[in-house]
Amino acid sequence: MEKNEAINIVRPYLTKARMEHTIRVAETAVGLASKYGESVEKAELAAIFHDYAKYRSLDEMARWIRESTLPKDLLDYHHELWHGPVGSLLIEREHGITDTDIKNAIYYHTTGRANMSQFEMIIYLADYIEPGRKFPGLDEVRQMAERDLLQACFLVSKNTINYLMKKNATIYPDSFHAYNDFNRKLRFNQAFQ
Ligand code: DGI
Ligand code: FE
Ligand code: FE
């Protein structure tokens, strides 16, 4: 699928601000994909679709979760966690996108997971560091994104979990799995340096 076709598909489902965020995520993902040797075209498409389901009604998202093979425990957690998995399902059903890299990157863009591919990490990171974001500690993550994809994703996961814990939010297990996995891989690297 071509970039403009994808943009025209998602635009009616997003607000103006969310569309602008989406374009910035796509630009950021293109830069990261080219830097880290992943497909630039696929990274751009995954980014354009990453928040596709963000504004579906909670009823509709809950129905997709109940009536598909998506994990039912999502329903026990905050509805913010639903749009990635549901988006990954809907881009295939509604637009015939079957590419596993793109679907997984969209599925896991909010929480991460253990053993993320480089491609998934690029979308996860691009969503966090796109130039419109203002999170505490973002400068450090942006600088790290220039040097080390794994270390940058570790910081994203650490910052996100910290932020959620400060708010007394519940944390989806995949968020912890991502943190632990990045952490172990970094320590493993250090031991052999
Ligand atoms: O859709 P975006 O706003 O661009 O960003 P996102 O999909 O990365 O995150 C959406 C929200 O989900 C954000 O406020 C952080 C939150 N979040 C991420 N991991 C978890 C989580 N919320 C809960 N409750 N638990 C998590 O594990
Ligand atoms: Fe999102
Ligand atoms: Fe996003």
Side-chain angles (χ1 to χ4, degrees):
M1 187 183 292
E2 205 258 322
K3 173 189 176 183
N4 285 322
E5 186 186 351
I7 289 174
N8 288 333
I9 289 172
V10 303
R11 194 188 296 281
Y13 293 99
L14 303 183
T15 61
K16 186 162 172 286
R18 179 64 48 181
M19 194 65 224
E20 288 164 6
H21 158 72
T22 292
I23 300 294
R24 292 190 299 264
V25 176
E27 287 165 359
T28 307
V30 162
L32 291 171
S34 121
K35 182 172 195 57
Y36 292 107
E38 295 292 324
S39 162
V40 166
E41 293 76 21
K42 278 183 18 171
E44 190 169 50
L45 273 188
I48 291 170
F49 280 107
H50 86 283
D51 277 339
Y52 178 61
K54 184 95 176 171
Y55 299 109
R56 298 292 169 118
S57 72
L58 299 188
D59 277 356
E60 180 182 355
M61 285 194 285
R63 187 168 48 81
W64 283 118
I65 293 167
R66 283 195 306 272
E67 294 175 3
S68 70
T69 56
L70 293 179
K72 305 302 161 244
D73 70 346
L74 283 168
L75 297 168
D76 302 331
Y77 289 85
H78 198 276
H79 55 74
E80 271 295 330
L81 295 171
W82 301 353
H83 71 283
V86 171
S88 143
L89 190 88
L90 291 186
I91 58 161
E92 175 159 6
R93 291 192 183 231
E94 297 179 354
H95 305 289
I97 295 170
T98 54
D99 185 284
T100 313
D101 293 329
I102 293 178
K103 289 188 63 188
N104 284 338
I106 294 170
Y107 190 117
Y108 295 104
H109 84 266
T110 303
T111 58
R113 63 163 164 172
N115 290 314
M116 290 178 87
S117 66
Q118 273 219 130
F119 188 83
E120 289 167 37
M121 287 162 71
I122 282 169
I123 302 302
Y124 177 72
L125 179 60
D127 190 26
Y128 194 84
I129 65 169
E130 63 90 347
R133 295 290 207 191
K134 290 181 184 65
F135 298 128
L138 200 46
D139 282 351
E140 188 191 2
V141 188
R142 287 190 175 126
Q143 280 168 28
M144 195 55 82
E146 296 291 316
R147 302 202 280 119
D148 187 330
L149 183 61
L150 182 61
Q151 182 88 51
C153 286
F154 173 69
L155 291 175
V156 172
S157 131
K158 185 171 101 169
N159 290 357
T160 302
I161 290 173
N162 265 326
Y163 158 80
L164 291 165
M165 290 185 73
K166 274 187 203 125
K167 292 203 309 177
N168 291 324
T170 53
I171 307 214
Y172 194 66
D174 278 337
S175 299
F176 285 129
H177 293 319
Y179 171 86
N180 288 334
D181 183 54
F182 297 142
N183 186 318
R184 287 190 189 110
K185 284 174 174 152
L186 285 166
R187 280 200 263 173
F188 179 83
N189 287 343
Q190 278 163 11
F192 289 90
Q193 262 168 14

